[in-house]
Amino acid sequence: MNTPSSPKAATLHDVARAAGVSLVTASRALGNPGIVSEKTRARVQQAVEATGYIPNLLAGGLKSKRSRMVAGVVPALAVSQFLPTVQALTAALAEQGYQLLLGQTFYDVRREEEVLNAMISRQPDGIVMMGLVQSARARERLAKSGIPVVETWDFSDRPLDMVIGFSHLKVGSALAGYFLSKGIERVGMATGNDHRARQRREGFLAAWGRDVPTVTVPSPGSLELGRQALGQLLAQQSDLQAVVCSSDMLAHGILVEAQARGLRVPTDLAVSGFGNADFAAHLLPALTTVHVDGAEIGRQAAALILQRCHGQHPEPSAFDIGFELIERASTAPR
Amino acid sequence: MNTPSSPKAATLHDVARAAGVSLVTASRALGNPGIVSEKTRARVQQAVEATGYIPNLLAGGLKSKRSRMVAGVVPALAVSQFLPTVQALTAALAEQGYQLLLGQTFYDVRREEEVLNAMISRQPDGIVMMGLVQSARARERLAKSGIPVVETWDFSDRPLDMVIGFSHLKVGSALAGYFLSKGIERVGMATGNDHRARQRREGFLAAWGRDVPTVTVPSPGSLELGRQALGQLLAQQSDLQAVVCSSDMLAHGILVEAQARGLRVPTDLAVSGFGNADFAAHLLPALTTVHVDGAEIGRQAAALILQRCHGQHPEPSAFDIGFELIERASTAPR
DNA sequence: CTGTTAGCGCCTTCAC
DNA sequence: GTGAAGGCGCTAACAG
């Protein structure tokens, strides 16, 4: 090593001594500069530079009860649907000096509990969940932990605390209404096996009025699974007119497999996705899908948590961010 | 609220009292069960259940100097290349009771410094960077912080501490060699404007022997940018035989745009990507690309950090994880 | 405006 | 095997 690798990291104590002030004054000069004289502040600043001081927020948080960390929990990071939310959340928090603690549940209730326990142990100032908290035990624990919780990407009558999302049932019925209005009669579904995808399927079926051929794939879907799904669907019903997918990646797979089989989209087969991934608008044909403003979910979640940290109690505590069915060439003949 | 929202979260002190033992004994029963009598351990366990105690790791870390957190820093979460690494890293750490603190630099040196400072303030037991640390100041600070650092997805003669990656120069020259061996003479490049993509381009040009038409796009690329890039490249040179892309998404865009223009791939135009995204093998035609085991990078990074936490000093500290050129239909006329 | 006094919740070191 | 001190680095109260 080139530098004398951390003989001892400088503490606020060292800074105070170097600046010739007391510990508290140094603390205030950094954390609450307004109430310290110009001179002192400058000297403390200088001492910080000189000593290379980096504050230990963990220690500070112990006393102040604010860790300046927020937990973010996703099913799995590779679920691309959530990426804009997590990215925006992380960015919005960083801007206010908060950092994100990332956890993954892998769609497993036991891991969800473990992850949430691990998070609570670190005293986050807030928790943002992608999806609703599944585990009853975890819900209870969270409720009495007093930590602000934002559940996202879903909706519930009885949220744990705050919720930002939309009705997946309504998404399903909107899709059903859309295809019905197109005069389409024979549709199949390729759908992930997670809670939200199942909700959308239920909503679809309720509005559609009868059951439809369905292939269920593990969440998160993939292009490959989409390709396979089309094969299986056509095996069940060879004259399908449309396939409704629970993600854009699955829908993309359907498009590719349709092309491989010489089926023209949308003439022979209409295809819809979900999520409005950035590639959806630029495929051939462009993909009809359901848009949800994932980044906005992240920003709002950050805002809600930060409000709570500042002692406010936002009303209402449930935000329907809505969705939008975007019609593109994959379902729009000519 | 349903439950009396945290009158006061139980502390180890409460547990000890409920179990009728001293604070230290309770601490040991949880953290070092081996050295406590069977009976005491059971009683402490019971007290934990009764009080709903969740340990405060922040407080524990203050004394023990181990936060059981590891920082992970990516350019942006949406850069899909890094997702397998971050996902595997997070999972591997969680398995050992460590959590990931996520940070984003947005390819900006100043933000990189800020993020790293924010991380250091939280006393992580290790830092995993996607890419090399760019900022000289940050390098210095990290070096003398004594925190184990793993730089990934790149290679360097003078790593900050540990590095797991591969030579992007070699990737570039491997691609050049491949296209040369195919007898292809007129190639263009669509390349991201990040450090690693530029290195691959340099490596390509060095082996290729002369400059080639190039379109530079903002990182991370997208399907849309790929489509645009093909248009621009063809405007520069209309008889291109191949396009080399710095990511699979860009390459995918080239494929789509080629199809839109009635160019057959690979007959009229060969296309290669980078990253071996999960869709690459299943496109039509399947995409020739460069595979890098991103998940393995994450697992190894976790292992290195954890070894350091356990006081070991792994040798060597530079790991070349290699890469593999995967030939598929997009460059292989049958 | 500045300093003194107490801890935050836990873990380490030392005694017993 | 257990317990009694002391302190990790910092910040909320109070005082001056």
Side-chain angles (χ1 to χ4, degrees), chain B residues 293-312:
Chain B
D293 194 341
E296 181 61 21
I297 291 180
R299 283 188 291 269
Q300 285 199 18
L304 286 179
I305 297 283
L306 293 176
Q307 279 175 42
R308 277 288 189 83
C309 292
H310 298 351
Q312 300 159 39

Side-chain angles (χ1 to χ4, degrees), chain A residues 22 24-25 28 37 40 62-63 65:
Chain A
S22 87
V24 231
T25 305
R28 283 191 281 244
S37 82
T40 337
L62 190 57
K63 183 76 189 177
K65 298 285 193 192

Side-chain angles (χ1 to χ4, degrees), chain B residues 22 25 28 36-37 40 62-63 65:
Chain B
S22 86
T25 305
R28 285 192 278 242
V36 160
S37 82
T40 341
L62 190 57
K63 184 71 190 182
K65 297 287 192 188

Side-chain angles (χ1 to χ4, degrees), chain B residues 309-333:
Chain B
C309 292
H310 298 351
Q312 300 159 39
H313 206 97
E315 287 294 344
S317 60
F319 299 84
D320 190 337
I321 199 160
F323 61 88
E324 188 186 352
L325 181 59
I326 300 185
E327 177 176 60
R328 297 205 184 100
S330 72
T331 58

